[in-house]
Amino acid sequence: MKISIVLATALFYASVAEAFKTKTPPLSTKWTKEAAEADVPWPSYPRPQLQRQDWVNLNGVWEFQNSTKGALTDMPFGKTLSDEIKVPYCMESGLSGVMKHYDYSVYKKSFTVPSDWKDQSVLVNFQAVDNEATVFVNGKKVGYNKGGYNRFQVDITDALKNGKNELMVHVFDPTDSNGNNPPLGKQRSQPSHIFYTPCSGIWQSVFLEPVPKQYISRLDVLTDMHGNMNVTAISNKATAAQVVMVEVLDKHNKTLISKAGHANKSFMIKVPGVKTWSPDQPNLYNYKVTMGKDVVNSYTGFRTISRGVVDGVERPLLNGEFIFQFGTLDQGFWPDGIHSPPTEEAMIYDIQFLKKLGFNMLRKHIKVEPDLFYAAADRLGIMLWQDMPAMVEYKAPTDDQQAEFERELATMIDNHKSFTSIVTWIIYNEGWGQLPSGPETYLTPRVKSQDPSRLVNSVTGWNDHGAGDFHDNHHYSIPQCGSPFYSIASTPYDKKRIGVQGEFGGIGQNTSAAHLWPVAEAVNSINQTYEITENNDAYNYRTLQVLEQLREQVERYSCSGAVYTQTTDVEGEVNGLLTYDRKVIRTDVPKWQKMIKDIYKAAKSRA
């Protein structure tokens, strides 16, 4: 029997298309189906503050298999791997198609370099791989990275060949098992209640791009409300004499000002007549940077973050004005993608929901998001408190583990300090991984030196040694914010610093099983929630009571900001404003909107 070439080709591609299937996660969102059906998930350019015109997205189905430590010296080059995985979803997620954890694993992707990239260098960019990644191209080791939350790039030019190339990544991620203690946030190998399913392997976008021999690897841009723009174009390939030209554009893409500097040296640009950035008016400006043959596009906003005494009270200031910073504890976990949001739209939905309620801030809780999250916060206008992902809470880190924490802290700040919306860095959460000696006392000035444009919350909750710009209390359910009363787990309000409530609320509602994470360990720990309400009416009655107490403390005492727990449910936690699947809104939206306005009004009366 003969089959036509067209039919044979169609049958071949049909079989390939059917070879990979995502798995059904324990709980789905309204974006799960779209993500599962996408051939190339997360299609947007992944690095919004350093964009090049030419690039190839490597997201999609990769070959994959379980591995061992010894595989590093015996990689399966040129062989077909036993399984498949969809990038950029971590292996434990349903969307990945694996839904298992492996301490060691191997990823493989074939690619062809576009012919018009000839005579240029080629970079492969990984936005995040948890936790250690060793990168090979055509059997040659080309790079290594440690740290599950930081982006990195590898120059693969010398390993390339004509035609098809083989990219292979060996991953090691033990989470917290066998004495390992990396910065890992809420991930645990044995999830329960406030600790969740781990996220291992490639969990953010991977892409290729061509660059000239001398290229810009990072842009550091710090701004203020007066139009000052401090620019550093970082390049490990450029000479000290290499000229860098920056051109700032208006909303019509016309040049406002241009100025030349040199690579790896900061220089100042004074942009005339700027409109400042704030949550109410998130004004942003595009700019273009040229270094030799390398041209990149970026954006920034102009604002000043500082602190000062207002009516006898230490306050955080945005553009010289005290604005009460009110937001939610934002975990950034998803039932279908775990660390990886199913789609960019889904990720943005959470921010839009918080803005709709009236929040002007969120605390990104011991997790680092894709760069597109921070770009959305810049664009939509919401201030961010950015946590450093914590080490395990009950283990004192070894000297090597502490050194790695400090290295990754510095890397996180370098990778994110150009995002306008970030107003505060948080070093430690509730003493997790914090040595009794108080390392924040030397880490705080180090962070301030690395980024003098922001405030530092050295310790949010517990183990406060007086460092940083904030005195930050945690208390459930009711707040104790800049007040003359406090719990024995905290310390008396320090009037020399800004008084904030880093966590409060946490009131839960046990919804129907259709919206719960149906895993026994999670369901069995629901009763550990601070307070459970039986129905939606009771939930809104209790939460609005708690918010009213916050309003009173803002009006009476020295409360300058607060973080309500939390944006969404996560696995065994049912105290979200939204359920984990984002399908049920617990809050009575009009009543919450009015209460949040009243809190801002109380703060304004003190300003």
Side-chain angles (χ1 to χ4, degrees), residues 94 168 223 267 278 288 328 331 357 380 423 437 527 596 606:
M168 196 169 282
T223 66
F267 59 99
S278 70
K288 181 171 70 175
T328 57
Q331 310 272 11
L357 280 181
L380 295 173
V423 298
S437 58
N527 62 2
I596 290 172
R606 299 293 308 277

Side-chain angles (χ1 to χ4, degrees), residues 23 64 83 90-94 96-102 200:
K23 294 188 183 301
F64 175 84
D83 204 347
C90 54
M91 66 181 73
E92 293 87 349
S93 71
S96 74
V98 176
M99 214 155 69
K100 293 180 182 178
H101 170 82
Y102 299 113
S200 305

